[in-house]
Amino acid sequence: MPVTRLLRQVAGQMLGSPACGCWTATPPLQFLGTSPQQIPADASFHSTSFSGTDQPRVLITGGLGQLGVGLANLLRKRFGKDNVILSDIRKPPDHIFHSGPFIYSDILDYKNLREIVVNNRITWLFHYSALLSAVGEANVSLARAVNITGLHNVLDVAAEHNLRLFVPSTIGAFGPTSPRNPTPDLCVQRPRTIYGVSKVHAELMGEYYHHRYGLDFRCLRYPGIISADSQPGGGTTDYAVQIFHDALKNGKFECNLKPSTSLPMMYIDDCLRATLEVMEAPAESLSMRTYNINAMSFTPEDLAQEVLKHVPKFQITYNVDSVRQAIADSWPMNFDDSNARKDWGWKHDFDLPELVTTMLNFHGSDTRVAQAN
């Protein structure tokens, strides 16, 4: 067990000798706020500048998913291309491979993960490897391995090497007994999907490692994330991505949720900016380790009406998927993110009209190029 080895190592150092011949002595884990990488108290996304010596060295796991590539682009603009390493177990497309450092990383292989952190002098780790809600229900054993066992490996490596660790959580971390409108940061959760259970586990384990080992753990509960340049990835909120593809391609869309199903949503630019801002926030400003963030809540019917303003002949029909609908009915209808707004200044830029305009403009230009070709 990596944590056991870590404790043995620290104990060995206190006695004046390494725990075993294969380990080199390292300083004991430092508690939050004592790291030389500490961000200044006046740090913010818009004003903080990093010198060449104190810029973070970043690893993103599960980097070929919906959020990883966009996050890598944002962080590379912020900290320099060579300081941000994207990783996954899949082969990347050429444009991603050539856009900056990319390596193979299997979070279920603890030794491989540890070597990457050591060899690349990683200081920040963004852990995006996970199976989403609907996909996880179709393969519970794989979801358990990736979402829970993989998390344990990441936590142990992060604690051992004093990393700042970000793990995303989700609206799926709540359940049918949670208050739904609005849902506060702290309340009964009790999710009924393996995805949700694994995310509650991640929140609690991260908080435990923070208090027990001084791990600088930070977590945001994302709403449904809508992005223009990615394909739906098996999540319950993915209808809000697919609708734009179908509206421009076919002029119609079949939705697998009921028209009145309200869920919290966010455009990806807001999501990625929030992720960077919470990682840059000074430690003393954080009153908790896991925060809700939100931008808007809408139903499929609301979204369709907004799309109709731009695509006058658009039609939506409903063929409800019972599994996804049951999942959606157990999730929050609206997030209370007042703590994030108070503690580290979170605010969103995109509401529903801006979201729809942005998505249709993006896919409309893609459609016109394809037709021209």
Side-chain angles (χ1 to χ4, degrees), residues 45 74 269-277 346-349:
F45 169 65
L74 179 64
D269 286 11
D270 279 342
C271 173
L272 298 178
R273 180 171 54 82
T275 302
L276 178 53
E277 287 179 358
W346 161 243
K347 58 182 180 179
H348 69 280
D349 290 334

Side-chain angles (χ1 to χ4, degrees), residues 123-167:
T123 57
W124 285 14
L125 198 160
F126 293 82
H127 177 52
Y128 277 106
S129 299
L131 264 66
L132 302 183
S133 54
V135 174
E137 290 307 290
N139 195 337
V140 172
S141 60
L142 181 60
R144 187 176 62 231
V146 173
N147 295 12
I148 296 179
T149 304
L151 169 78
H152 292 177
N153 288 340
V154 167
L155 285 169
D156 288 343
V157 168
E160 179 182 348
H161 296 285
N162 199 26
L163 308 185
R164 180 168 296 185
L165 174 63
F166 178 84
V167 178

Side-chain angles (χ1 to χ4, degrees), residues 87-101:
S87 72
D88 210 304
I89 60 172
R90 293 181 290 148
K91 181 180 178 181
D94 286 346
H95 72 280
I96 293 176
F97 182 79
H98 293 295
S99 66

Side-chain angles (χ1 to χ4, degrees), residues 242-252 311 363 367 371:
Q242 189 64 50
I243 189 172
F244 297 103
H245 293 270
D246 291 3
L248 290 171
K249 184 178 180 180
N250 307 314
K252 57 185 179 181
V311 187
H363 290 295
T367 301
Q371 289 172 344

Side-chain angles (χ1 to χ4, degrees), residues 79-261:
F79 304 123
K81 183 175 73 171
D82 293 334
N83 285 323
V84 180
I85 300 173
L86 202 60
S87 72
D88 210 304
I89 60 172
R90 293 181 290 148
K91 181 180 178 181
D94 286 346
H95 72 280
I96 293 176
F97 182 79
H98 293 295
S99 66
F102 181 93
I103 59 175
Y104 172 88
S105 175
D106 181 358
I107 60 165
L108 297 179
D109 184 341
Y110 177 79
K111 181 180 178 182
N112 170 247
L113 187 62
R114 190 162 169 262
E115 287 175 348
I116 290 169
V117 168
V118 171
N119 290 342
N120 294 282
R121 299 177 295 110
I122 299 301
T123 57
W124 285 14
L125 198 160
F126 293 82
H127 177 52
Y128 277 106
S129 299
L131 264 66
L132 302 183
S133 54
V135 174
E137 290 307 290
N139 195 337
V140 172
S141 60
L142 181 60
R144 187 176 62 231
V146 173
N147 295 12
I148 296 179
T149 304
L151 169 78
H152 292 177
N153 288 340
V154 167
L155 285 169
D156 288 343
V157 168
E160 179 182 348
H161 296 285
N162 199 26
L163 308 185
R164 180 168 296 185
L165 174 63
F166 178 84
V167 178
S169 190
T170 167
I171 56 174
F174 297 98
T177 55
S178 305
R180 299 186 65 210
N181 191 20
T183 303
D185 285 302
L186 301 175
C187 64
V188 172
Q189 292 184 250
R190 314 294 289 185
R192 292 183 178 176
T193 66
I194 186 61
Y195 178 55
V197 168
S198 70
K199 287 303 184 181
V200 174
H201 181 77
E203 294 174 15
L204 295 176
M205 287 295 289
E207 187 172 334
Y208 172 76
Y209 269 59
H210 169 65
H211 291 294
R212 180 68 177 83
Y213 303 113
L215 174 65
D216 189 350
F217 173 84
R218 305 182 183 205
C219 177
L220 296 178
R221 293 192 189 104
Y222 291 157
I225 304 301
I226 301 171
S227 58
D229 57 352
S230 66
Q231 296 297 318
T236 300
T237 59
D238 278 350
Y239 84 86
V241 176
Q242 189 64 50
I243 189 172
F244 297 103
H245 293 270
D246 291 3
L248 290 171
K249 184 178 180 180
N250 307 314
K252 57 185 179 181
F253 172 66
E254 183 178 89
C255 183
N256 52 30
L257 295 179
K258 294 177 181 178
S260 59
T261 305

